[in-house]
Amino acid sequence: MKKVSTSSFQEQENVHAYFQSRSSNWREIYESSGVEAEIIRDRHVAVLAWVDSLKLAPGSSVLEVGCGAGFMAVALAQRGFNVQAFDSSEAMIEQARLYADESLTNDLLTLKVRDVYSLDFSDDSFDLVLAIGVIPWLERLEPAIQEMVRVIKPGGYILLTTANRMGLMSILDPWRNPALEPLKRRLKEVVSSIAHHNFSPSMTFHTNRFMDKTLARQRCIKTMSMTRGFGFSLRNRSFLPEPFGTKLHQLLQRLADRNIPFFRSMGMAYFMLARKHVSHSYVRSMDGNGS
């Protein structure tokens, strides 16, 4: 079996701790003003628009990976789907349960703490699997994608969002710029070894082409894609005054939605909807990475 490095394990633990610490104010993030909240709300609406376009039958089985505070899971349950949703953070699941209680969706929504690398579901269980804002925080992408695809029914769908490596936000912020990532990683190691300082976990950025190929290796056929989000930051903090930052995001997003070259591929997040091949057969290999 393939071993996971100690550093990878520690980084994933840092991610868990990070979201655990943010769980109590997650609803405030969704409901607040400013460009970050606007981008999060826009993502929510865009994902649900894609889900609605699939015209899945009421009672269809849906799995949400990394459900956070439960906003997407509840919206899916309100559409009449049977939803299984999970997160690695117990605090996030507690927030999601509270929201499900308020929304009266408990009958159609099951919330649990689970591990994306080892899902306790049978093969071919779900009509749709979603992972929104999850991929950038995974240390081991390929086995996670493979496990998600395993539980999708042949002909079913997977909907993912990733951090766009070539998005404007990534390129213009030195703290996020992919070309500076090796230097930033080395500086973190030096500071940590000298001052014993624990940094907040960093997102992993992927190119759109890399994600397309990753899904294709799992015999998933991409049906739709887009980029969204035009926040601008310096060291992960927005530097444009409001409401100018939000208005600029909305303007650039309209250009991207009109499929204008350059803008259509420069959003901070890449959205992918793909369909599992109808003849796909999952075979688990000896090293746990599948075939």
Side-chain angles (χ1 to χ4, degrees):
M1 181 175 290
K2 186 177 180 179
K3 294 183 178 180
V4 181
S5 69
T6 302
S7 61
S8 294
F9 177 80
Q10 184 59 54
E11 183 65 19
Q12 201 68 66
E13 287 298 301
N14 290 342
V15 170
H16 293 168
Y18 172 71
F19 281 102
Q20 190 89 352
S21 68
R22 300 189 74 192
S23 61
S24 61
N25 67 342
W26 200 248
R27 183 177 299 194
E28 295 175 11
I29 295 173
Y30 270 81
E31 296 175 350
S32 64
S33 60
V35 67
E36 179 185 9
E38 178 69 17
I39 289 171
I40 290 174
R41 288 191 291 266
D42 173 81
R43 180 181 71 180
H44 183 85
V45 171
V47 167
L48 288 176
W50 269 5
V51 172
D52 292 341
S53 74
L54 299 178
K55 301 187 183 305
L56 299 176
S60 294
S61 54
V62 176
L63 173 66
E64 186 185 7
V65 176
C67 64
F71 297 103
M72 181 63 66
V74 165
L76 294 167
Q78 288 173 334
R79 281 161 167 73
F81 303 135
N82 287 310
V83 181
Q84 295 273 350
F86 74 89
D87 201 280
S88 61
S89 165
E90 178 64 46
M92 282 294 192
I93 290 296
E94 287 303 316
Q95 291 292 317
R97 285 174 178 148
L98 289 173
Y99 187 50
D101 287 341
E102 295 173 8
S103 306
L104 304 178
T105 54
N106 289 312
D107 290 345
L108 290 171
L109 176 56
T110 301
L111 293 155
K112 290 185 177 180
V113 176
R114 284 190 172 97
D115 179 6
V116 67
Y117 301 110
S118 182
L119 298 178
D120 54 346
F121 300 110
S122 301
D123 298 356
D124 309 336
S125 294
F126 295 96
D127 298 289
L128 169 67
V129 171
L130 305 92
I132 311 304
V134 173
I135 300 300
W137 302 101
L138 296 177
E139 278 295 298
R140 296 179 291 142
L141 175 64
E142 195 85 23
I145 295 286
Q146 187 176 61
E147 190 68 347
M148 286 185 248
V149 173
R150 177 184 68 79
V151 302
I152 301 172
K153 297 175 183 178
Y157 295 90
I158 184 169
L159 200 165
L160 306 175
T161 68
T162 69
N164 182 12
R165 187 176 178 87
M166 299 310 296
L168 277 177
M169 186 174 180
S170 308
I171 294 171
L172 297 178
D173 187 345
W175 200 246
R176 294 175 180 264
N177 192 303
L180 300 177
E181 183 61 31
L183 175 60
K184 186 177 71 172
R185 189 183 303 115
R186 181 57 183 156
L187 287 174
K188 279 186 174 183
E189 292 173 354
V190 171
V191 173
S192 295
S193 63
I194 295 174
H196 304 290
H197 175 74
N198 291 323
F199 289 91
S200 297
S202 299
M203 291 191 298
T204 300
F205 292 78
H206 301 96
T207 65
N208 302 348
R209 181 174 296 182
F210 172 82
M211 289 306 305
D212 291 347
K213 290 181 177 179
T214 299
L215 282 176
R217 282 196 295 272
Q218 299 301 321
R219 299 192 67 191
C220 289
I221 303 165
K222 186 176 74 171
T223 59
M224 289 193 286
S225 64
M226 61 181 171
T227 67
R228 306 195 73 81
F230 289 89
F232 296 92
S233 65
L234 184 63
R235 291 200 64 185
N236 298 325
R237 294 182 181 275
S238 178
F239 62 83
L240 295 178
E242 290 294 343
F244 177 73
T246 296
K247 291 184 180 297
L248 179 60
H249 152 71
Q250 293 169 340
L251 171 62
L252 296 179
Q253 188 61 62
R254 285 195 294 270
L255 295 174
D257 291 342
R258 290 167 56 191
N259 208 31
I260 303 298
F262 178 78
F263 296 104
R264 66 189 179 194
S265 60
M266 299 302 287
M268 63 188 288
Y270 180 51
F271 291 55
M272 296 157 288
L273 178 68
R275 194 169 193 180
K276 184 175 177 179
H277 197 281
V278 293
S279 63
H280 180 68
S281 178
Y282 179 84
V283 180
R284 192 185 299 273
S285 70
M286 294 300 292
D287 66 0
N289 287 332
S291 59

